[in-house]
Amino acid sequence: MMELKISIQSLSTKETFRVSREVHGDHPIVIVSLRSNDIIGFGEATEFKVYDSTVPRLLESFKKAEEFLRNYEFETPEQLWKDIHPVFKDDSFGLAAIDMAAWDLYGKQKGKTVHELLDISVNEPVHSSISISMGDLDFQ
């Protein structure tokens, strides 16, 4: 049995974040927690309207997930991802938040960090991608 809780927060930025399709200062995020046997794992999803990830859409997905998880017996993050994927259909941001929370929860259950569980070295660079804000030319 798992319990899902959500909290809507605002991520404040020092500078306005600007990309070609979107501009924002404070940015809404949804923090999710998964509880199983008094251990809690955390994940998060951000609102990016360009990708159709909005707080109302995330909340709708998490409401469906809450019903699904009510009687779910958690074993591994991989199995949860396979089982809950249909609930999220086209909501990859919501699914990623659940996946993060599941890995955090699993790591706490096993007494290991996520990078230990995934056998990822912290001494080697990890490939990633970031968005860089478009600023004024005179910004220093």
Side-chain angles (χ1 to χ4, degrees), residues 61-81:
S61 293
F62 292 135
K63 184 174 182 162
K64 292 175 189 173
E66 185 177 36
E67 294 171 21
F68 175 88
L69 293 167
R70 197 166 284 129
N71 296 310
Y72 188 80
E73 291 296 326
F74 180 71
E75 294 178 24
T76 66
E78 296 97 339
Q79 189 60 52
L80 175 60
W81 194 94

PDB file of all heavy atoms in Angstrom, residues 61-81:
ATOM      1  N   SER A  61      -3.334  14.112 -13.384  1.00  0.00           N
ATOM      2  CA  SER A  61      -2.594  12.847 -13.478  1.00  0.00           C
ATOM      3  C   SER A  61      -2.324  12.267 -12.095  1.00  0.00           C
ATOM      4  O   SER A  61      -2.472  11.057 -11.876  1.00  0.00           O
ATOM      5  CB  SER A  61      -1.259  13.065 -14.202  1.00  0.00           C
ATOM      6  OG  SER A  61      -1.458  13.403 -15.543  1.00  0.00           O
ATOM      7  N   PHE A  62      -1.931  13.117 -11.157  1.00  0.00           N
ATOM      8  CA  PHE A  62      -1.614  12.623  -9.815  1.00  0.00           C
ATOM      9  C   PHE A  62      -2.856  12.123  -9.085  1.00  0.00           C
ATOM     10  O   PHE A  62      -2.770  11.203  -8.279  1.00  0.00           O
ATOM     11  CB  PHE A  62      -0.886  13.686  -8.991  1.00  0.00           C
ATOM     12  CG  PHE A  62       0.499  13.988  -9.503  1.00  0.00           C
ATOM     13  CD1 PHE A  62       0.941  15.287  -9.618  1.00  0.00           C
ATOM     14  CD2 PHE A  62       1.359  12.964  -9.883  1.00  0.00           C
ATOM     15  CE1 PHE A  62       2.213  15.567 -10.085  1.00  0.00           C
ATOM     16  CE2 PHE A  62       2.636  13.231 -10.362  1.00  0.00           C
ATOM     17  CZ  PHE A  62       3.064  14.538 -10.466  1.00  0.00           C
ATOM     18  N   LYS A  63      -4.014  12.696  -9.408  1.00  0.00           N
ATOM     19  CA  LYS A  63      -5.255  12.195  -8.801  1.00  0.00           C
ATOM     20  C   LYS A  63      -5.524  10.763  -9.266  1.00  0.00           C
ATOM     21  O   LYS A  63      -5.890   9.892  -8.473  1.00  0.00           O
ATOM     22  CB  LYS A  63      -6.429  13.107  -9.154  1.00  0.00           C
ATOM     23  CG  LYS A  63      -7.704  12.700  -8.489  1.00  0.00           C
ATOM     24  CD  LYS A  63      -8.812  13.701  -8.735  1.00  0.00           C
ATOM     25  CE  LYS A  63     -10.050  13.243  -7.997  1.00  0.00           C
ATOM     26  NZ  LYS A  63     -11.023  14.281  -7.810  1.00  0.00           N
ATOM     27  N   LYS A  64      -5.317  10.505 -10.563  1.00  0.00           N
ATOM     28  CA  LYS A  64      -5.483   9.145 -11.085  1.00  0.00           C
ATOM     29  C   LYS A  64      -4.444   8.208 -10.462  1.00  0.00           C
ATOM     30  O   LYS A  64      -4.744   7.068 -10.126  1.00  0.00           O
ATOM     31  CB  LYS A  64      -5.341   9.143 -12.608  1.00  0.00           C
ATOM     32  CG  LYS A  64      -6.466   9.839 -13.332  1.00  0.00           C
ATOM     33  CD  LYS A  64      -6.183   9.888 -14.819  1.00  0.00           C
ATOM     34  CE  LYS A  64      -7.166  10.769 -15.533  1.00  0.00           C
ATOM     35  NZ  LYS A  64      -6.810  10.963 -16.953  1.00  0.00           N
ATOM     36  N   ALA A  65      -3.218   8.699 -10.331  1.00  0.00           N
ATOM     37  CA  ALA A  65      -2.148   7.883  -9.748  1.00  0.00           C
ATOM     38  C   ALA A  65      -2.447   7.559  -8.286  1.00  0.00           C
ATOM     39  O   ALA A  65      -2.168   6.449  -7.830  1.00  0.00           O
ATOM     40  CB  ALA A  65      -0.813   8.605  -9.861  1.00  0.00           C
ATOM     41  N   GLU A  66      -3.022   8.510  -7.582  1.00  0.00           N
ATOM     42  CA  GLU A  66      -3.358   8.299  -6.169  1.00  0.00           C
ATOM     43  C   GLU A  66      -4.311   7.116  -6.017  1.00  0.00           C
ATOM     44  O   GLU A  66      -4.129   6.260  -5.150  1.00  0.00           O
ATOM     45  CB  GLU A  66      -3.984   9.567  -5.597  1.00  0.00           C
ATOM     46  CG  GLU A  66      -4.272   9.509  -4.129  1.00  0.00           C
ATOM     47  CD  GLU A  66      -4.819  10.828  -3.609  1.00  0.00           C
ATOM     48  OE1 GLU A  66      -5.583  11.505  -4.341  1.00  0.00           O
ATOM     49  OE2 GLU A  66      -4.488  11.175  -2.471  1.00  0.00           O
ATOM     50  N   GLU A  67      -5.316   7.041  -6.882  1.00  0.00           N
ATOM     51  CA  GLU A  67      -6.259   5.922  -6.857  1.00  0.00           C
ATOM     52  C   GLU A  67      -5.543   4.609  -7.179  1.00  0.00           C
ATOM     53  O   GLU A  67      -5.766   3.597  -6.525  1.00  0.00           O
ATOM     54  CB  GLU A  67      -7.386   6.165  -7.863  1.00  0.00           C
ATOM     55  CG  GLU A  67      -8.276   7.338  -7.507  1.00  0.00           C
ATOM     56  CD  GLU A  67      -9.250   7.698  -8.626  1.00  0.00           C
ATOM     57  OE1 GLU A  67      -9.525   6.834  -9.489  1.00  0.00           O
ATOM     58  OE2 GLU A  67      -9.723   8.849  -8.634  1.00  0.00           O
ATOM     59  N   PHE A  68      -4.664   4.640  -8.170  1.00  0.00           N
ATOM     60  CA  PHE A  68      -3.921   3.448  -8.573  1.00  0.00           C
ATOM     61  C   PHE A  68      -3.026   2.944  -7.438  1.00  0.00           C
ATOM     62  O   PHE A  68      -2.927   1.745  -7.185  1.00  0.00           O
ATOM     63  CB  PHE A  68      -3.067   3.773  -9.809  1.00  0.00           C
ATOM     64  CG  PHE A  68      -2.170   2.659 -10.239  1.00  0.00           C
ATOM     65  CD1 PHE A  68      -2.612   1.683 -11.107  1.00  0.00           C
ATOM     66  CD2 PHE A  68      -0.861   2.589  -9.772  1.00  0.00           C
ATOM     67  CE1 PHE A  68      -1.783   0.646 -11.504  1.00  0.00           C
ATOM     68  CE2 PHE A  68      -0.021   1.556 -10.154  1.00  0.00           C
ATOM     69  CZ  PHE A  68      -0.478   0.587 -11.031  1.00  0.00           C
ATOM     70  N   LEU A  69      -2.364   3.872  -6.739  1.00  0.00           N
ATOM     71  CA  LEU A  69      -1.376   3.516  -5.721  1.00  0.00           C
ATOM     72  C   LEU A  69      -1.981   3.079  -4.389  1.00  0.00           C
ATOM     73  O   LEU A  69      -1.297   2.462  -3.577  1.00  0.00           O
ATOM     74  CB  LEU A  69      -0.435   4.698  -5.477  1.00  0.00           C
ATOM     75  CG  LEU A  69       0.477   5.054  -6.647  1.00  0.00           C
ATOM     76  CD1 LEU A  69       1.129   6.402  -6.416  1.00  0.00           C
ATOM     77  CD2 LEU A  69       1.510   3.968  -6.858  1.00  0.00           C
ATOM     78  N   ARG A  70      -3.232   3.409  -4.173  1.00  0.00           N
ATOM     79  CA  ARG A  70      -3.872   3.143  -2.880  1.00  0.00           C
ATOM     80  C   ARG A  70      -3.674   1.693  -2.416  1.00  0.00           C
ATOM     81  O   ARG A  70      -3.413   1.443  -1.254  1.00  0.00           O
ATOM     82  CB  ARG A  70      -5.353   3.496  -2.954  1.00  0.00           C
ATOM     83  CG  ARG A  70      -5.997   3.644  -1.597  1.00  0.00           C
ATOM     84  CD  ARG A  70      -7.350   4.304  -1.675  1.00  0.00           C
ATOM     85  NE  ARG A  70      -7.188   5.745  -1.887  1.00  0.00           N
ATOM     86  CZ  ARG A  70      -7.803   6.430  -2.844  1.00  0.00           C
ATOM     87  NH1 ARG A  70      -8.627   5.827  -3.675  1.00  0.00           N
ATOM     88  NH2 ARG A  70      -7.623   7.721  -2.970  1.00  0.00           N
ATOM     89  N   ASN A  71      -3.777   0.735  -3.307  1.00  0.00           N
ATOM     90  CA  ASN A  71      -3.618  -0.681  -2.957  1.00  0.00           C
ATOM     91  C   ASN A  71      -2.410  -1.324  -3.634  1.00  0.00           C
ATOM     92  O   ASN A  71      -2.332  -2.542  -3.747  1.00  0.00           O
ATOM     93  CB  ASN A  71      -4.889  -1.466  -3.318  1.00  0.00           C
ATOM     94  CG  ASN A  71      -6.080  -0.995  -2.501  1.00  0.00           C
ATOM     95  OD1 ASN A  71      -5.992  -0.901  -1.285  1.00  0.00           O
ATOM     96  ND2 ASN A  71      -7.163  -0.674  -3.180  1.00  0.00           N
ATOM     97  N   TYR A  72      -1.485  -0.503  -4.072  1.00  0.00           N
ATOM     98  CA  TYR A  72      -0.319  -1.004  -4.809  1.00  0.00           C
ATOM     99  C   TYR A  72       0.747  -1.510  -3.840  1.00  0.00           C
ATOM    100  O   TYR A  72       1.084  -0.847  -2.864  1.00  0.00           O
ATOM    101  CB  TYR A  72       0.268   0.106  -5.683  1.00  0.00           C
ATOM    102  CG  TYR A  72       1.354  -0.368  -6.616  1.00  0.00           C
ATOM    103  CD1 TYR A  72       1.037  -1.008  -7.807  1.00  0.00           C
ATOM    104  CD2 TYR A  72       2.697  -0.193  -6.298  1.00  0.00           C
ATOM    105  CE1 TYR A  72       2.020  -1.454  -8.667  1.00  0.00           C
ATOM    106  CE2 TYR A  72       3.691  -0.630  -7.149  1.00  0.00           C
ATOM    107  CZ  TYR A  72       3.347  -1.261  -8.339  1.00  0.00           C
ATOM    108  OH  TYR A  72       4.329  -1.702  -9.187  1.00  0.00           O
ATOM    109  N   GLU A  73       1.285  -2.681  -4.131  1.00  0.00           N
ATOM    110  CA  GLU A  73       2.383  -3.252  -3.337  1.00  0.00           C
ATOM    111  C   GLU A  73       3.694  -2.916  -4.036  1.00  0.00           C
ATOM    112  O   GLU A  73       4.045  -3.511  -5.051  1.00  0.00           O
ATOM    113  CB  GLU A  73       2.215  -4.769  -3.197  1.00  0.00           C
ATOM    114  CG  GLU A  73       1.031  -5.182  -2.333  1.00  0.00           C
ATOM    115  CD  GLU A  73       1.180  -4.745  -0.885  1.00  0.00           C
ATOM    116  OE1 GLU A  73       2.302  -4.708  -0.355  1.00  0.00           O
ATOM    117  OE2 GLU A  73       0.128  -4.424  -0.274  1.00  0.00           O
ATOM    118  N   PHE A  74       4.419  -1.956  -3.489  1.00  0.00           N
ATOM    119  CA  PHE A  74       5.668  -1.485  -4.086  1.00  0.00           C
ATOM    120  C   PHE A  74       6.788  -2.494  -3.883  1.00  0.00           C
ATOM    121  O   PHE A  74       7.029  -2.956  -2.777  1.00  0.00           O
ATOM    122  CB  PHE A  74       6.058  -0.142  -3.458  1.00  0.00           C
ATOM    123  CG  PHE A  74       7.336   0.435  -3.988  1.00  0.00           C
ATOM    124  CD1 PHE A  74       7.408   0.934  -5.276  1.00  0.00           C
ATOM    125  CD2 PHE A  74       8.470   0.493  -3.187  1.00  0.00           C
ATOM    126  CE1 PHE A  74       8.585   1.486  -5.762  1.00  0.00           C
ATOM    127  CE2 PHE A  74       9.647   1.044  -3.667  1.00  0.00           C
ATOM    128  CZ  PHE A  74       9.706   1.543  -4.953  1.00  0.00           C
ATOM    129  N   GLU A  75       7.459  -2.829  -4.987  1.00  0.00           N
ATOM    130  CA  GLU A  75       8.613  -3.727  -4.919  1.00  0.00           C
ATOM    131  C   GLU A  75       9.876  -3.045  -5.428  1.00  0.00           C
ATOM    132  O   GLU A  75      10.881  -3.006  -4.732  1.00  0.00           O
ATOM    133  CB  GLU A  75       8.336  -5.009  -5.711  1.00  0.00           C
ATOM    134  CG  GLU A  75       7.230  -5.855  -5.093  1.00  0.00           C
ATOM    135  CD  GLU A  75       6.924  -7.094  -5.917  1.00  0.00           C
ATOM    136  OE1 GLU A  75       7.814  -7.543  -6.685  1.00  0.00           O
ATOM    137  OE2 GLU A  75       5.799  -7.605  -5.798  1.00  0.00           O
ATOM    138  N   THR A  76       9.819  -2.529  -6.662  1.00  0.00           N
ATOM    139  CA  THR A  76      10.977  -1.841  -7.247  1.00  0.00           C
ATOM    140  C   THR A  76      10.488  -0.647  -8.071  1.00  0.00           C
ATOM    141  O   THR A  76       9.356  -0.642  -8.561  1.00  0.00           O
ATOM    142  CB  THR A  76      11.786  -2.766  -8.181  1.00  0.00           C
ATOM    143  OG1 THR A  76      10.987  -3.090  -9.325  1.00  0.00           O
ATOM    144  CG2 THR A  76      12.252  -4.024  -7.467  1.00  0.00           C
ATOM    145  N   PRO A  77      11.353   0.344  -8.271  1.00  0.00           N
ATOM    146  CA  PRO A  77      10.977   1.479  -9.133  1.00  0.00           C
ATOM    147  C   PRO A  77      10.704   1.045 -10.565  1.00  0.00           C
ATOM    148  O   PRO A  77       9.800   1.568 -11.209  1.00  0.00           O
ATOM    149  CB  PRO A  77      12.198   2.397  -9.069  1.00  0.00           C
ATOM    150  CG  PRO A  77      12.926   2.010  -7.845  1.00  0.00           C
ATOM    151  CD  PRO A  77      12.655   0.551  -7.628  1.00  0.00           C
ATOM    152  N   GLU A  78      11.487   0.074 -11.059  1.00  0.00           N
ATOM    153  CA  GLU A  78      11.280  -0.387 -12.439  1.00  0.00           C
ATOM    154  C   GLU A  78       9.889  -0.989 -12.616  1.00  0.00           C
ATOM    155  O   GLU A  78       9.217  -0.719 -13.614  1.00  0.00           O
ATOM    156  CB  GLU A  78      12.329  -1.441 -12.840  1.00  0.00           C
ATOM    157  CG  GLU A  78      13.751  -0.933 -12.875  1.00  0.00           C
ATOM    158  CD  GLU A  78      14.522  -1.247 -11.603  1.00  0.00           C
ATOM    159  OE1 GLU A  78      13.901  -1.497 -10.550  1.00  0.00           O
ATOM    160  OE2 GLU A  78      15.759  -1.241 -11.658  1.00  0.00           O
ATOM    161  N   GLN A  79       9.460  -1.790 -11.649  1.00  0.00           N
ATOM    162  CA  GLN A  79       8.140  -2.414 -11.746  1.00  0.00           C
ATOM    163  C   GLN A  79       7.032  -1.374 -11.613  1.00  0.00           C
ATOM    164  O   GLN A  79       6.037  -1.411 -12.344  1.00  0.00           O
ATOM    165  CB  GLN A  79       7.961  -3.507 -10.690  1.00  0.00           C
ATOM    166  CG  GLN A  79       6.697  -4.322 -10.892  1.00  0.00           C
ATOM    167  CD  GLN A  79       6.664  -5.023 -12.245  1.00  0.00           C
ATOM    168  OE1 GLN A  79       7.610  -5.724 -12.627  1.00  0.00           O
ATOM    169  NE2 GLN A  79       5.585  -4.836 -12.996  1.00  0.00           N
ATOM    170  N   LEU A  80       7.213  -0.425 -10.704  1.00  0.00           N
ATOM    171  CA  LEU A  80       6.208   0.635 -10.563  1.00  0.00           C
ATOM    172  C   LEU A  80       6.077   1.417 -11.854  1.00  0.00           C
ATOM    173  O   LEU A  80       4.970   1.706 -12.304  1.00  0.00           O
ATOM    174  CB  LEU A  80       6.551   1.569  -9.395  1.00  0.00           C
ATOM    175  CG  LEU A  80       5.628   2.778  -9.242  1.00  0.00           C
ATOM    176  CD1 LEU A  80       4.177   2.358  -9.013  1.00  0.00           C
ATOM    177  CD2 LEU A  80       6.110   3.690  -8.117  1.00  0.00           C
ATOM    178  N   TRP A  81       7.208   1.741 -12.478  1.00  0.00           N
ATOM    179  CA  TRP A  81       7.168   2.497 -13.735  1.00  0.00           C
ATOM    180  C   TRP A  81       6.359   1.741 -14.781  1.00  0.00           C
ATOM    181  O   TRP A  81       5.508   2.322 -15.457  1.00  0.00           O
ATOM    182  CB  TRP A  81       8.589   2.757 -14.251  1.00  0.00           C
ATOM    183  CG  TRP A  81       8.650   3.798 -15.324  1.00  0.00           C
ATOM    184  CD1 TRP A  81       8.888   5.127 -15.163  1.00  0.00           C
ATOM    185  CD2 TRP A  81       8.460   3.595 -16.733  1.00  0.00           C
ATOM    186  NE1 TRP A  81       8.856   5.761 -16.383  1.00  0.00           N
ATOM    187  CE2 TRP A  81       8.592   4.846 -17.362  1.00  0.00           C
ATOM    188  CE3 TRP A  81       8.178   2.483 -17.510  1.00  0.00           C
ATOM    189  CZ2 TRP A  81       8.466   5.017 -18.728  1.00  0.00           C
ATOM    190  CZ3 TRP A  81       8.040   2.642 -18.885  1.00  0.00           C
ATOM    191  CH2 TRP A  81       8.194   3.905 -19.484  1.00  0.00           C
TER     192      TRP A  81
END
